[in-house]
Amino acid sequence: MARPADRADPVTGAGTAVAAATVGEREQKPERVVAQRGSERAADRAPVTRTPEPRPQRVRRAARALGSRLRAAPLTLTLLAGLWLVGAATGSLRHGPPDRLLERVGVGLPTLTEGHWWTPFTSMFWCSGTGSYVFTSLMLLLVGPAAEHRLGRLRTLGVLVGGQIAGTLLGTGLVAFGNAAGEQWTASVADQISVGPGVALFALAGVLGYRLTVLWRRRLHLLVLLLPLVMTLYVGHLQSVQRCAAALAGLGVGALLSRGRPYLRSHRSSHSETRVLVALCLVAAAVGPLLASLYDNATGPFNTFSELYLSHRLSPDEIADLCSLSAHDCARAHAVVRIFDTPARLMAALFPALLLVLAEGLRRGLRFAWLVTIATELLWAALLGWLYLDAGPVSRDVVQYFVEAMLLPLLTTALLLATRKRFRLRLAARSVRRLAVVVGGALFVTSAAYVGLGRLAAGQFEPGATVRRLLHGLPAQFLPPAYNDLTPDYPIAVGPLARFLETYCGLAFWVVALAVLLSAFRRPVLHTDAEAVARARALLTEHGGGTLSFITTWDGNHYWFDEQGRAAVAYRVVGTVALTTGDPFGAPEERARAVAGFARFCDARGWTPCFYSVCGQTRDAATGLGWRSVQVAEDTVVALPELAFTGKKWQDIRTALNKAGKQGITAEWWAYHEAPLALKDQIRAISEEWVSEKGLPEMGFTLGGLEELDDPDVRVLVAVDEQRVVHGLTSWMPVYEDGVPVGWTLDFMRRRSDGFRGVSEFLIASAALGFKEEGARFLSLSGAPLARTGQEGEPTGLQRMLDWMGKVLEPVYGFRSLLAFKAKFQPEYRPMYMAYPDPAALPGITRAIGKAYLPHLTAAQGVRLMRKLSG
């Protein structure tokens, strides 16, 4: 069913463009002649089917696009050249400015105290070393051209200078305030002097985000906040604090400059985008300690526990201290040092590696990844608690250390719990079983190898290795070196075989476990019963069904099959209601009997069956069982064999085709999974912008989203201009008969808010021309819920209530506007019904339908919806 919010209004509808091109003549001619010629010309130019370009062509195209983008950004190139020339002239490229120069141009408490008021400005012309020059250059190339294009050169320059001054002053002021308050961390950086235009670039990125699409605005703002915040918490240098302050200042200034733009008011994100943002937060939590490990003098507040997250090699002083305690502690210290000279040093980064793999699973919305991440965070918190309870006398420093260490896993857990409803996709049961077998088998084999072979080489351990001691020390083999204190009495390997077991047992297990996890997360997500899904799809392809029957292949459905296996019903159970997804499908002569069969199936399980969005044939079969029915939507079907956009009634369609041709907009067929990354990224951005404007969660059930586009049988028609900018898109689901598509049904429909305004009409007209050329018999523009053109006799009380609901919901979802928009294509109207056995069950059925369409509706969104309706 086409999304009701994609209605006739071209601002909220969505569409794509065809290569159907210019319709009509430039000379003034009678309307009928122009219309006829325009129709013939459009029919000759059906949408083009596109396939991915070979990799060399994509690389060349990307290189040309990058070159043209840089040529259009003279300010960026000037700043980049100036930065490197100044660095080379002053000998600062390798280790930063010399100390004497640094004291004159760098900014910090020492230079500001001495009255060097110019340093907030001059600090942006140098960097602190080679790595800083490279990082700053890459960031300038990423942010600068986009800022020049969207903000203008003068405004970009103003934001850079203002952001540098504001960020350095605010950051230095925060350090001064913390130092005065006696904060140990800020006191350690109070004497630092910083240089680098990275401060200005973070401010510029914050402002630039408000000029991007909703999708990239949200991602850029998250990265602009996370990167400097992570560096501040883990590294803690003055420059990190200044960058964080500049990012906040840029976000504030950008918000002020963008006031009055309605599309910036809402911040609702789609399910898929929420998953991406949560995954990015987990990546930041994993990468932070890794970044801190690159700095020898990291002093950030979270760096106090970084060795528990990323294990470090013991220093000579630490080894000496341990050796002064006992011979056993000394042997353990040398054993830990020895680990860092072998491949087992990878175990030091076990927690970050595990979180990065889990982040991929969260990005894909997998419930299994969510559960494992929660378990990992809670296990980490438990291990930290165990260590601190075992630490001896509790001092103020120990308490502060403990609070800081527990903060990260607890915050991550809170974020995951708050977004738990976004992670509902389930791995197939077969994949879970395979995962359990492989991981469990790897754990058993490596544990048995360590204990069994260790017992055979008992003399190569100190003290001698008994089975009990080896079992007691087994957890240490699967944990990072920093957690060895949890098993203080495990035997120390001194011989070659013992050292081999100590090095490779834990490492082998985690290599297998992480590889299998990543493979399972990246494998396409299947229905819970993959065998039933394949069987249902084969039945649908062979015999066909109604115009909405392809929806039965979507995730979330279960299937009932008749005894002969020639008819099926897709359904989902909400509460005690078994809600069907459209009509029964399969052999035509068996579909009517499937209604009674499914009713018996539900009755045996105590469910209330409800056939939703079904045609008249299914309604008649249900009526024969004594059921009642009510019209809930109206399908709109366009016959294709005789379709011609001639006459006055097709004026709007011809206008859209003409304007598209004049603006260089063409239509291209794509399979979504084969589309170029740039094209898919624009589609995601357009969809995210649409979701953001609504302030309400995406609807599901019979309304498809981005996930449903990624089906090899679904065709996507995109409207692109000469610069490869996507103006809109539609997706089309096949309607089968005897194994081949004979018709197509519209599902997903979106348009760019600032794109070609007639793209919705252009999209559908172009698709119709393409399907007609291929020999299809019809296309369905899908149903418009709670809207209908006429009445079949005297409406019942329930029908009048539904008509009233359609009227009330019009300002929010535009059901009637959608139906009016579809009237432009002169369709045949076919009523769609809801059939139910018992009027007493209507309250439960109503709740089930609402839950099916809006499974993620929160209380706050419900209040917002009611306000819109009452307003």
Side-chain angles (χ1 to χ4, degrees):
M1 213 178 266
R3 288 186 174 273
D6 295 326
R7 50 192 183 272
D9 182 357
V11 175
T12 56
T16 110
V18 314
T22 308
V23 180
E25 301 280 349
R26 291 186 179 273
E27 300 87 357
Q28 296 296 324
K29 298 195 176 183
E31 178 184 345
R32 182 175 301 176
V33 176
V34 174
Q36 180 65 34
R37 293 187 179 181
S39 177
E40 292 172 356
R41 187 170 299 179
D44 290 338
R45 297 186 181 182
V48 177
T49 300
R50 296 293 300 270
T51 56
E53 293 179 322
R55 183 179 295 273
Q57 292 184 20
R58 294 202 303 269
V59 171
R60 287 194 293 270
R61 180 189 291 273
R64 288 195 298 269
L66 178 61
S68 62
R69 185 180 181 186
L70 291 178
R71 286 193 297 272
L75 176 62
T76 299
L77 295 178
T78 301
L79 293 175
L80 184 63
L83 181 68
W84 284 87
L85 288 174
V86 170
T90 57
S92 306
L93 293 181
R94 188 168 183 179
H95 299 294
D99 291 343
R100 180 174 296 181
L101 178 62
L102 181 64
E103 294 173 357
R104 299 288 299 174
V105 301
V107 63
L109 283 177
T111 58
L112 292 176
T113 302
E114 293 177 6
H116 296 174
W117 55 266
W118 59 85
T119 54
F121 174 72
T122 57
S123 61
M124 70 183 300
F125 297 105
W126 283 268
C127 290
S128 57
T130 305
S132 181
Y133 272 101
V134 172
F135 171 79
T136 302
S137 300
L138 291 175
M139 189 172 179
L140 182 58
L141 290 173
L142 286 173
V143 177
E148 287 189 60
H149 174 68
R150 297 181 180 272
L151 298 176
R153 294 190 184 98
L154 290 179
R155 184 171 289 181
T156 297
L157 184 60
V159 172
L160 282 172
V161 175
Q164 180 78 15
I165 295 174
T168 52
L169 290 178
L170 286 173
T172 307
L174 288 173
V175 170
F177 178 78
N179 190 32
E183 171 60 39
Q184 181 179 357
W185 156 56
T186 53
S188 66
V189 299
D191 60 344
Q192 291 185 0
I193 301 173
S194 72
V195 291
V199 178
L201 291 174
F202 274 97
L204 180 61
V207 175
L208 173 62
Y210 288 96
R211 301 302 178 94
L212 302 179
T213 61
V214 174
L215 178 76
W216 285 105
R217 178 171 77 241
R218 203 175 272 124
R219 292 182 180 180
L220 181 60
H221 283 173
L222 181 64
L223 291 175
V224 163
L225 281 175
L226 278 181
L227 285 176
L229 182 62
V230 166
M231 295 296 289
T232 299
L233 293 176
Y234 286 98
V235 179
H237 290 175
L238 174 63
Q239 189 177 67
S240 301
V241 183
Q242 292 173 345
R243 288 175 175 176
C244 197
L248 292 173
L251 291 173
V253 171
L256 291 176
L257 292 176
S258 302
R259 282 189 305 177
R261 299 189 178 192
Y263 67 87
L264 292 176
R265 294 175 185 170
S266 176
H267 300 283
R268 179 72 191 174
S269 62
S270 64
H271 307 324
S272 59
E273 182 59 16
T274 300
R275 298 164 189 161
V276 170
L277 298 179
V278 172
L280 284 176
C281 290
L282 196 65
V283 168
V287 171
L290 296 179
L291 292 176
S293 68
L294 302 176
Y295 293 81
D296 295 331
N297 56 346
T299 58
F302 275 23
N303 192 54
T304 55
F305 71 95
S306 62
E307 69 272 11
L308 300 178
Y309 196 80
L310 177 70
S311 303
H312 300 285
R313 181 192 291 266
L314 296 177
S315 66
D317 292 339
E318 291 172 324
I319 295 175
D321 291 339
L322 290 171
C323 287
S324 66
L325 297 177
S326 68
H328 183 70
D329 289 331
C330 186
R332 286 182 59 205
H334 285 289
V336 171
V337 171
R338 190 167 57 245
I339 287 176
F340 286 88
D341 295 323
T342 69
R345 68 183 304 167
L346 296 175
M347 289 286 292
L350 173 60
F351 275 120
L354 178 58
L355 290 184
L356 289 174
V357 171
L358 292 174
E360 173 63 14
L362 293 177
R363 184 183 71 85
R364 293 175 176 265
L366 295 173
R367 188 71 171 180
F368 183 81
W370 184 88
L371 292 172
V372 175
T373 308
I374 288 285
T376 300
E377 296 293 341
L378 293 178
L379 175 62
W380 184 28
L383 292 176
L384 291 174
W386 190 355
L387 284 173
Y388 286 115
L389 290 175
D390 220 25
V394 177
S395 64
R396 178 182 177 184
D397 291 340
V398 171
V399 172
Q400 180 182 357
Y401 193 70
F402 176 71
V403 171
E404 292 174 353
M406 294 292 287
L407 193 59
L408 184 61
L410 293 181
L411 287 177
T412 305
T413 302
L415 175 64
L416 291 169
L417 291 175
T419 57
R420 62 189 180 280
K421 292 183 178 180
R422 303 294 183 266
F423 305 96
R424 293 196 170 185
L425 299 181
R426 298 185 182 276
L427 290 174
R430 182 181 302 175
S431 297
V432 176
R433 288 195 297 269
R434 185 186 301 116
L435 188 62
V437 168
V438 174
V439 174
L443 179 62
F444 175 78
V445 169
T446 52
S447 298
Y450 179 76
V451 176
L453 295 178
R455 185 67 186 90
L456 294 176
Q460 298 187 22
F461 288 92
E462 180 64 38
T466 64
V467 172
R468 182 176 180 180
R469 284 179 177 172
L470 289 170
L471 289 173
H472 186 70
L474 191 60
Q477 309 307 310
F478 300 100
L479 289 173
Y483 291 86
N484 283 349
D485 288 343
L486 295 177
T487 54
D489 298 327
Y490 72 89
I492 308 300
V494 293
L497 178 58
R499 289 180 178 177
F500 178 86
L501 295 175
E502 185 181 61
T503 299
Y504 290 104
C505 283
L507 180 62
F509 165 74
W510 281 110
V511 167
V512 171
L514 294 180
V516 172
L517 270 176
L518 185 60
S519 174
F521 292 161
R522 294 188 63 83
R523 194 176 296 120
V525 179
L526 301 175
H527 296 255
T528 305
D529 189 348
E531 184 177 344
V533 174
R535 183 182 174 191
R537 186 180 282 255
L539 191 65
L540 176 67
T541 303
E542 180 181 358
H543 297 288
T547 56
L548 295 182
S549 289
F550 193 82
I551 293 175
T552 61
T553 65
W554 292 355
D555 198 16
N557 290 320
H558 299 277
Y559 301 94
W560 170 86
F561 298 92
D562 67 1
E563 295 179 356
Q564 293 77 27
R566 289 173 51 79
V569 173
Y571 68 96
R572 59 186 69 198
V573 179
V574 183
T576 59
V577 176
L579 195 63
T580 74
T581 306
D583 295 286
F585 58 94
E589 65 275 9
E590 302 292 339
R591 295 175 194 173
R593 286 195 289 269
V595 176
F598 181 71
R600 291 192 296 271
F601 169 79
C602 293
D603 183 63
R605 286 156 179 78
W607 298 338
T608 299
C610 176
F611 280 87
Y612 187 78
S613 292
V614 297
C615 66
Q617 181 183 6
T618 303
R619 190 269 306 262
D620 293 341
T623 301
L625 299 176
W627 291 20
R628 299 192 181 187
S629 63
V630 64
Q631 184 179 345
V632 295
E634 202 149 53
D635 195 6
T636 45
V637 179
V638 179
L640 296 179
E642 305 300 327
L643 179 67
F645 298 134
T646 58
K648 187 176 182 180
K649 61 184 180 181
W650 293 103
Q651 180 62 47
D652 291 343
I653 308 304
R654 290 197 303 273
T655 300
L657 292 170
N658 273 319
K659 287 184 177 180
K662 292 176 181 177
Q663 295 183 23
I665 296 176
T666 58
E668 297 176 356
W669 285 118
W670 284 96
Y672 185 75
H673 66 284
E674 294 180 350
L677 181 61
L679 199 69
K680 290 196 287 189
D681 179 69
Q682 292 187 71
I683 290 174
R684 286 193 296 268
I686 291 171
S687 179
E688 191 65 26
E689 182 179 14
W690 182 90
V691 173
S692 160
E693 290 175 349
K694 303 304 171 189
L696 294 170
E698 286 182 285
M699 299 182 75
F701 191 29
T702 60
L703 304 176
L706 285 176
E707 290 84 359
E708 285 70 35
L709 292 184
D710 198 9
D711 187 301
D713 293 330
V714 172
R715 299 176 65 178
V716 180
L717 188 63
V718 295
V720 294
D721 61 20
E722 295 172 347
Q723 285 73 43
R724 305 298 297 169
V725 174
V726 176
H727 288 251
L729 69 146
T730 53
S731 72
W732 299 87
M733 305 179 296
V735 181
Y736 293 104
E737 186 176 296
D738 297 328
V740 295
V742 295
W744 295 86
T745 300
L746 174 65
D747 176 40
F748 193 80
M749 190 162 65
R750 294 284 189 271
R751 71 173 297 272
R752 186 181 293 274
S753 61
D754 57 350
F756 171 51
R757 293 187 64 83
V759 71
S760 299
E761 294 86 343
F762 179 51
L763 259 175
I764 298 174
S766 303
L769 293 172
F771 291 139
K772 176 184 177 181
E773 187 176 90
E774 295 172 7
R777 296 204 304 262
F778 64 89
L779 61 81
S780 168
L781 302 183
S782 196
L786 299 180
R788 58 198 187 111
T789 56
Q791 298 179 350
E792 297 181 352
E794 184 67 22
T796 63
L798 178 59
Q799 186 70 70
R800 284 194 293 267
M801 185 189 72
L802 292 177
D803 292 341
W804 173 81
M805 287 181 60
K807 181 179 179 181
V808 171
L809 290 173
E810 176 65 21
V812 180
Y813 290 112
F815 299 129
R816 299 185 175 188
S817 298
L818 177 63
L819 189 62
F821 166 74
K822 294 175 180 179
K824 296 181 180 182
F825 295 90
Q826 316 304 317
E828 173 192 349
Y829 295 97
R830 298 178 181 177
M832 305 181 75
Y833 303 94
M834 177 182 76
Y836 55 96
D838 184 4
L842 278 175
I845 292 173
T846 302
R847 287 194 298 271
I849 293 173
K851 190 69 174 177
Y853 274 113
L854 292 170
H856 306 296
L857 184 69
T858 64
Q861 291 160 355
V863 171
R864 190 181 304 127
L865 175 60
M866 296 307 298
R867 286 177 178 173
K868 288 186 176 182
L869 295 179
S870 61

